[in-house]
Amino acid sequence: MTNFFLFIDLALPGQTLAFIILGIAAVIIAAIFLVRNNMARNAASGELTAKFADQPTKSPMDGRSKYAAVDILRRSGTVFNIGLITSLLLTVLAFSWTSYDDYVYIPDDAMELDEDIEQEPPRTAEPPPPPPPPPPPVIEEVPEEEIIEEEEPVFVDQDIEEDEEIEVEEVEEPVEEEPEPVVEEVEEEPEEDKIFKVVEDMPRFPGCENKGLGKAELKKCAEDEMLKFIYGNIKYPAVARENGIEGRAILQFVVEKDGTVQGIKVLREPGGGCGKEAERVVKMMNSMGQKWIPGKQRGKPVKVQYTLPVMFRLQG
C-alpha cells in the first residue's frame, strides 16, 4: 500500500488538504462516540447480567473486565491498524501539499515606451498674457480751405570776405545719460513644490526594501512588483475584449513626497475603456498597505513625475 502511494504524484492545494484532514478527524471523533455510547447502553440495560448469570464468576486475574463483551481492549488490534493507516494517509497528504502562486500574465514589453510620446511638462505657474497691441493711429482729414500756402523762401547773401573775422561760439553738446537697465524680478518656485522629472533617487514601488539588494537590483525588483500589482488587478474591459482592441495605454502621474500618487492623466490609450481601467488600477496604489518610496534629491524627498505604460493584450 505504501508503494502505491509513492508512485502517485499528488498535488493538493492547502484548502483541499484542510478539508480532507477535517473529514478524517470528524470520522475518528464520531467512531469514538459511537463505541462509547454502545458500551454504556449495554452496561446500563442489564442484558449482560442476565446473559452471564449462569456462568461461574471468573477471578479478577482472568480478565480485565467482568464481562468480555465490554472489554475495551478487545479491539485494540483493529484500532491500531486503523490508526496506522490514518497516520500513513496524513503523511502522504502532507508531502503532497502544494501551494500555487496566482499566475499573473505580464507582457514581455510591458515597460517599453514609445520615443515619440510627448510628455507635457508640469505647469508650475502660468505666464501672464501678453499686453494688447496699441490702437492704430487715427488719421484726421484736413479740409482744403484750411491748407496754408507756404511763402516762398527769401535767400540772404551769406558770402564772407577775406578780411572779415568769424567768431565761433563753442556749444557744449548735451551728454545723454544712459537709462539704467530694468531688471525684472522672476520669482523662482521653491524646490519643495517643484515637480522633477529626473532625480538622484527615482521613486520606487514598495516591496523590495528589506531584501538587501543593490541599486540596480532594487530598481528591477520594484518594477517587477509594480507589474505584478498592475496586471494582477487589471480587468480587461468588456468592450475592448468584444471588439478585439489591443494596445498600450500611457499614464502620467506624480509621486508625492509622502509616497501617494496624485495627478493621474491618460496621455494615450487604444480605446474601449482601456485608459479608464488603467487609471483605476493606478488609483488603487493609494489604498495599498505600503506607499511608494518617494524620490529624493540631495537627500530630501521631492515630487517626481512618473510615466507608466500599461499593455492590453488578448491571450489567444
Side-chain angles (χ1 to χ4, degrees):
M1 187 172 186
T2 305
N3 294 333
F4 174 74
F5 281 107
L6 291 177
F7 285 103
I8 296 178
D9 185 13
L10 296 177
L12 300 175
Q15 186 176 4
T16 304
L17 181 61
F19 282 128
I20 293 175
I21 293 175
L22 290 176
I24 293 174
V27 171
I28 293 174
I29 294 173
I32 292 173
F33 275 101
L34 287 176
V35 172
R36 289 186 61 183
N37 291 335
N38 187 25
M39 289 186 175
R41 186 171 61 253
N42 291 335
S45 62
E47 295 178 358
L48 296 176
T49 304
K51 181 178 180 180
F52 296 98
D54 298 337
Q55 297 181 5
T57 305
K58 295 182 179 181
S59 172
M61 301 298 295
D62 294 341
R64 289 177 294 271
S65 302
K66 184 177 181 180
Y67 303 113
V70 292
D71 187 1
I72 197 171
L73 298 178
R74 183 163 54 95
R75 299 184 179 87
S76 60
T78 305
V79 174
F80 176 77
N81 292 331
I82 294 175
L84 183 62
I85 294 172
T86 304
S87 301
L88 181 61
L89 180 60
L90 290 175
T91 303
V92 173
L93 292 176
F95 278 105
S96 302
W97 178 25
T98 305
S99 59
Y100 295 96
D101 295 332
D102 295 335
Y103 173 73
V104 178
Y105 171 71
I106 301 176
D108 298 333
D109 54 349
M111 292 299 295
E112 292 184 2
L113 280 172
D114 298 334
E115 296 181 357
D116 58 345
I117 294 178
E118 295 182 359
Q119 299 182 8
E120 182 182 355
R123 295 185 179 180
T124 55
E126 294 185 0
V138 179
I139 301 174
E140 297 181 357
E141 295 183 0
V142 180
E144 295 180 357
E145 297 177 357
E146 296 181 4
I147 296 177
I148 301 174
E149 295 182 357
E150 295 181 356
E151 297 179 358
E152 295 182 358
V154 179
F155 295 96
V156 180
D157 186 10
Q158 297 181 356
D159 294 338
I160 300 174
E161 296 181 359
E162 295 180 356
D163 299 335
E164 187 177 354
E165 295 181 358
I166 301 173
E167 295 181 0
V168 179
E169 296 181 359
E170 295 182 359
V171 181
E172 295 182 357
E173 297 181 359
V175 179
E176 296 182 358
E177 297 182 357
E178 297 182 358
E180 297 181 357
V182 179
V183 180
E184 296 182 359
E185 295 182 359
V186 180
E187 296 182 0
E188 294 185 359
E189 189 176 0
E191 189 170 330
E192 297 179 356
D193 298 332
K194 189 182 296 183
I195 300 176
F196 293 84
K197 288 186 178 181
V198 180
V199 291
E200 296 173 355
D201 296 329
M202 292 295 290
R204 299 189 310 271
F205 194 83
C208 303
E209 281 64 47
N210 299 324
K211 296 184 179 180
L213 302 176
K215 192 171 183 179
E217 296 175 348
L218 190 61
K219 178 183 177 182
K220 181 66 170 59
C221 178
E223 287 183 356
D224 293 341
E225 292 294 327
M226 180 179 63
L227 292 177
K228 289 179 183 178
F229 176 84
I230 292 175
Y231 291 97
N233 291 283
I234 206 163
K235 297 178 181 178
Y236 215 105
V239 177
R241 184 184 299 275
E242 292 173 358
N243 294 276
I245 297 175
E246 296 180 343
R248 196 187 310 272
I250 308 297
L251 286 86
Q252 194 176 80
F253 53 87
V254 176
V255 180
E256 298 286 338
K257 292 184 288 185
D258 59 352
T260 57
V261 176
Q262 303 294 337
I264 305 172
K265 295 186 295 183
V266 179
L267 302 182
R268 180 184 297 177
E269 64 160 322
C274 295
K276 291 183 178 179
E277 177 61 18
E279 183 179 358
R280 182 190 69 84
V281 176
V282 173
K283 287 181 179 178
M284 290 176 59
M285 295 179 181
N286 289 330
S287 59
M288 299 186 303
Q290 294 177 315
K291 295 182 180 179
W292 277 66
I293 310 301
K296 291 184 179 180
Q297 182 73 7
R298 300 175 185 173
K300 297 181 179 180
V302 292
K303 301 178 182 180
V304 182
Q305 185 184 83
Y306 198 94
T307 304
L308 175 67
V310 179
M311 189 68 187
F312 288 86
R313 182 173 296 165
L314 294 169
Q315 301 182 34

